[in-house]
Amino acid sequence: MSGAYRQAWQDSMDQPRAFWAQAARAIDWTTAPAATWDDQAGWFPGGTLNTCYNAIDRHIAAGRGGALALIHDSPVTDTVCRFTYDQLGEEVGRVAAMLASLGVGRGDRVILYMPMIPETVFAMLACARLGAIHSVVFGGFAPLELAKRIDDAAPKLVLTASCGIEGTRTVAYKPMVDEALRLADHPVAHVLLLQRDRLGADLVPGRDLDWAVLRAATAHDPVPAPVAVASDDPLYVLYTSGTTGTPKGVVRENGGHAVALAWSMAHIFDIGAGDVFWAASDVGWVVGHSYIVYAPLLVGATTVLFEGKPVGTPDAGTFWRVIARHGVKCLFTAPTAIRAIRKEDPDAALLHAIGTGPCRAIFLAGERADPDTIGWLETHSGLPVIDHWWQTELGWPATATCLGLGDRRRLRGSAGFPVPGYRFAVLDETGVPVPAGTSGAVVIAAPLPPGAFRTLWNNPVAYARNFAAFPGWYETGDAGFIDDQGFVHIMGRTDDIINVAGHRLSTGQMEQIVAATPGVAECAVIGADDAIKGMIPVAYVVPRADMRDHAALHHAVIASVRRELGAVAALKTAFIVPALPKTRSGKTLRNLLRKIANGEDTPIPPTIEDPAVPAQIIAAMRQTAQA
Ligand code: COA
Ligand code: AMP
């Protein structure tokens, strides 16, 4: 075991205030914090700072304006653009001036529904500069989901682009924004639209503004100075799936976020100024916020913004090409991306031909990394492949192998050790810790370290629920165990959240949509195993007696989930079945359905009301497969 890792973790437990006060020195504060922690005000009370200043200006002031800050590598448009810190500062300044001209200021919300292009990063940082709160909505969500976020965040502005490019598909974003604004109650003053060459979009007169036109109109406006905000002022709100149809707005505070991310770059990922870091995620997810945008820039590193897919843009060698081309020192991606690459290139011929350049490690997160995928990647890349675990709520890794602290220990199937700042336990239903190796609810001691959420937007009650089941502990919603060596194993969720291709979705929400589809009497949506995406949603639908066209019902169910939740839901399979398996008290046996969907041999549970139902379901599934 690395002594440095053990010491750091112990220090973070024994003297958390001293530990995080030391970490906070990596950030330039406008006003130094009066304390490190306060039960009411949270981390670094009294401190003021600007996250954009810390991500850009201070590096320029230190003479590093010529260093590379951002590389946009876009195989889907066949372009690569590079921005030094000077150039990034200029671009962010221009967008900040544009937003300021529209009256955006401290505390205002701005929603971004944008693809993986540099302007998205500029806009996030421009909001941070003005003290405004951005809320990025992933492009794969449908208008209704965007509308829910608009109503909850009540933004002054929505920023969008005419289209996203998803592999070979061009996705028109603007019609989705128009539809979302039609569905939302909250009046948005303006939509700022970036026209892309691939596909243009119409502007609604009076409401919509053209990005390029506004940029030209404000070209001579001074760059707004970075606004000093309180440590606990929100930097952003990022919505994530809860267990209901209502998304949870995770609030990220400026101070704790900057401190935690800067600390994580050095001590977990071993990345500092001048290194090239690539998180192959999307800016719409927390990984994109933390490790495409903020963390690499906070430490003066170079970040890669990749607009493409692991396969098909143009082939399964694209990741290795990006690494080699830009000298990526550390790659962060989701296991599903590696599985997709492996499927296309099982012998890793492209990996061997292209190589991994100066890359030192590959980190995986977003879903459990199966040992087989890790084994394949380690064998062919010769690099350490590190599974690490975290959540939108936390904002940065909670378990990992801390490379920057000299740790190298890995165990395939485990997500590593608690990161300094995090104390874990595994509890049974009564809140009692279980012995090593025994599964239970994975919890983290409160208070959570800097960077982790301290409230949910407009919903402090739902926030408090995370700490209600096990007083003194944050309930992660994950199940797992800690083995006798201290490795943490995260095995799945305790609720109805599933991870589809590393995307967090709620089967409960899909179930609500399916249940409301005309012709559906009742339904259940479960997560079934998938060789590439890890999990995929599968619907079991009992038709109403008068609904005889089962093929039409199947299409209707799939179409309504895509329409209401979005393409990202990836619900492609719905089985029309005569009944659902239920207990005598009427509870649907979802676990049994999951096993049936996975083709597992499973004994009929004694609690089942009608033991004939599983066989009927299997017969109906066979019929669907044959059809
Ligand atoms: N905007 C609009 N639509 C989007 C989108 C976006 N930003 N992202 C995904 N979609 C659409 C896709 O085009 C697809 O639509 P389709 O059903 O019409 O084909 C649908 O949403 C599902 O997307 P996805 O789950 O990504 O499946 P895929 O088949 O397109 O790609 C993988 C599969 C494995 C290659 C891809 O999911 C991947 O790269 N995953 C890694 C995810 C990741 O990095 N997660 C972050 C956690 S660290
Ligand atoms: P998100 O909030 O989208 O980052 O999703 C968080 C959830 O993804 C976690 O609660 C886990 O269920 C799952 N997850 C993320 N990383 C891992 C991992 N390394 N191993 C297992 N599950 C993971």
Side-chain angles (χ1 to χ4, degrees):
M1 182 192 295
S2 142
Y5 159 73
R6 196 184 42 203
Q7 190 64 51
W9 187 83
Q10 203 56 54
D11 288 350
S12 76
M13 293 297 119
D14 295 346
Q15 299 166 330
R17 285 182 168 81
F19 183 89
W20 290 114
Q22 174 65 27
R25 293 199 188 154
I27 294 305
D28 285 6
W29 299 85
T30 318
T31 316
T36 307
W37 167 260
D38 176 89
D39 285 343
Q40 250 64 53
W43 289 101
F44 313 112
T48 65
L49 75 161
N50 183 277
T51 297
C52 176
Y53 173 86
N54 274 276
I56 301 175
D57 305 50
R58 66 170 174 156
H59 304 311
I60 297 172
R64 298 196 62 252
L68 210 49
L70 171 69
I71 301 170
H72 179 233
D73 190 315
S74 169
V76 294
T77 55
D78 203 16
T79 55
V80 176
C81 293
R82 294 180 175 83
F83 301 85
T84 62
Y85 274 93
D86 277 335
Q87 291 164 331
L88 180 63
E90 175 61 25
E91 295 296 337
V92 170
R94 283 300 100 225
V95 180
M98 288 157 62
L99 300 183
S101 77
L102 299 172
V104 173
R106 182 175 176 182
D108 289 333
R109 273 81 60 209
V110 176
I111 280 198
L112 278 71
Y113 187 71
M114 294 185 70
M116 291 284 284
I117 54 177
E119 286 80 357
T120 309
V121 177
F122 304 157
M124 291 166 76
L125 289 160
C127 288
R129 188 169 195 86
L130 297 171
I133 303 166
H134 62 69
S135 187
V136 183
V137 179
F138 178 64
F141 282 119
L144 183 60
E145 285 299 305
L146 179 55
K148 286 182 192 169
R149 287 152 174 81
I150 290 171
D151 279 339
D152 195 57
K156 239 183 193 163
L157 274 185
V158 173
L159 270 47
T160 190
S162 51
C163 67
I165 304 168
E166 275 301 297
T168 52
R169 217 159 53 89
T170 302
V171 182
Y173 275 19
K174 182 61 175 18
M176 295 205 257
V177 171
D178 289 339
E179 173 68 359
L181 289 172
R182 205 183 54 74
L183 295 168
D185 292 326
H186 172 73
V188 169
H190 292 295
V191 173
L192 185 54
L193 170 80
L194 182 89
Q195 297 279 15
R196 298 191 79 186
D197 295 343
R198 179 75 58 99
L199 179 76
D202 294 334
L203 297 171
V204 174
R207 188 198 68 186
D208 297 355
L209 301 162
D210 184 286
W211 192 291
V213 172
L214 185 62
R215 185 181 159 123
T218 53
H220 301 296
D221 291 3
V223 170
V227 173
V229 297
S231 178
D232 64 345
D233 270 0
L235 170 67
Y236 67 78
V237 176
L238 177 58
Y239 289 89
T240 189
S241 299
T243 51
T244 66
T246 314
K248 305 195 294 185
V250 169
V251 176
R252 190 80 58 219
E253 298 174 351
N254 277 274
H257 173 256
V259 171
L261 290 194
W263 189 92
S264 75
M265 284 310 269
H267 299 97
I268 300 178
F269 300 104
D270 194 20
I271 290 288
D275 290 332
V276 183
F277 186 80
W278 177 25
S281 177
D282 189 287
V283 281
W285 305 113
V286 69
V287 175
H289 281 63
S290 294
Y291 292 106
I292 296 175
V293 182
Y294 287 108
L297 298 177
L298 282 166
V299 299
T302 305
T303 185
V304 178
L305 177 73
F306 175 70
E307 189 180 20
K309 297 262 177 184
V311 293
T313 58
D315 58 27
T318 202
F319 269 30
W320 321 126
R321 235 170 260 125
V322 170
I323 289 175
R325 188 184 294 144
H326 306 301
V328 171
K329 183 176 164 190
C330 182
L331 167 70
F332 179 158
T333 187
T336 187
I338 304 303
R339 289 193 297 266
I341 292 171
R342 182 182 182 182
K343 182 169 175 242
E344 298 283 305
D345 186 13
D347 300 325
L350 287 162
L351 170 51
H352 290 295
I354 299 162
T356 51
C359 194
R360 300 241 202 99
I362 300 176
F363 281 78
L364 301 178
E367 52 171 324
R368 180 169 182 265
D370 53 288
D372 193 39
T373 300
I374 297 181
W376 181 85
L377 188 56
E378 287 197 328
T379 303
H380 290 291
S381 68
L383 295 170
V385 174
I386 297 170
D387 183 14
H388 65 320
W389 171 91
W390 50 301
Q391 314 179 302
T392 306
E393 290 85 340
L394 303 173
W396 62 291
T399 73
T401 300
C402 289
L403 281 192
L405 288 170
D407 209 357
R408 294 290 179 275
R409 294 166 304 155
R410 303 187 304 282
L411 178 67
R412 290 176 191 169
S414 153
F417 295 93
V419 164
Y422 290 98
R423 183 158 66 87
F424 278 77
V426 177
L427 308 180
D428 68 15
E429 291 115 40
T430 62
V432 174
V434 299
T438 308
S439 285
V442 175
V443 296
I444 303 172
L448 295 170
F453 72 156
R454 289 202 318 117
T455 192
L456 290 171
W457 189 257
N458 286 336
N459 206 344
V461 173
Y463 172 78
R465 253 183 247 132
N466 293 287
F467 298 84
F470 306 112
W473 299 97
Y474 163 64
E475 188 184 9
T476 65
D478 281 326
F481 62 95
I482 301 175
D483 68 20
D484 51 12
Q485 293 179 70
F487 279 104
V488 179
H489 300 247
I490 305 284
M491 305 307 288
R493 295 285 305 189
T494 55
D495 53 19
D496 60 6
I497 284 169
I498 56 170
N499 272 76
V500 180
H503 307 145
R504 173 168 161 178
L505 299 165
S506 159
T507 54
Q509 182 181 8
M510 289 189 225
E511 215 164 274
Q512 283 174 21
I513 298 170
V514 175
T517 306
V520 173
E522 58 175 339
C523 67
V525 178
I526 52 96
D529 294 346
D530 183 78
I532 301 295
K533 296 193 174 190
M535 278 196 148
I536 46 161
V538 170
Y540 287 89
V541 177
V542 180
R544 297 243 285 255
D546 56 354
M547 171 43 91
R548 302 206 194 288
D549 188 347
H550 290 182
L553 184 60
H554 175 268
H555 288 305
V557 159
I558 285 167
S560 45
V561 172
R562 194 177 173 97
R563 187 178 58 246
E564 290 188 32
L565 208 158
V568 67
L571 178 74
K572 305 252 156 110
T573 312
F575 294 112
I576 312 297
V577 295
L580 295 177
K582 298 221 171 143
T583 61
R584 280 177 215 104
S585 58
K587 215 169 150 251
T588 303
L589 289 159
R590 282 164 215 283
N591 217 13
L592 176 63
L593 281 174
R594 205 167 294 128
K595 288 185 172 156
I596 292 175
N598 289 340
E600 287 172 39
D601 237 355
T602 173
I604 310 273
T607 49
I608 200 164
E609 188 188 20
D610 181 353
V613 168
Q616 291 167 0
I617 290 176
I618 292 167
M621 286 168 68
R622 285 213 185 100
Q623 240 175 5
T624 311
Q626 279 157 13

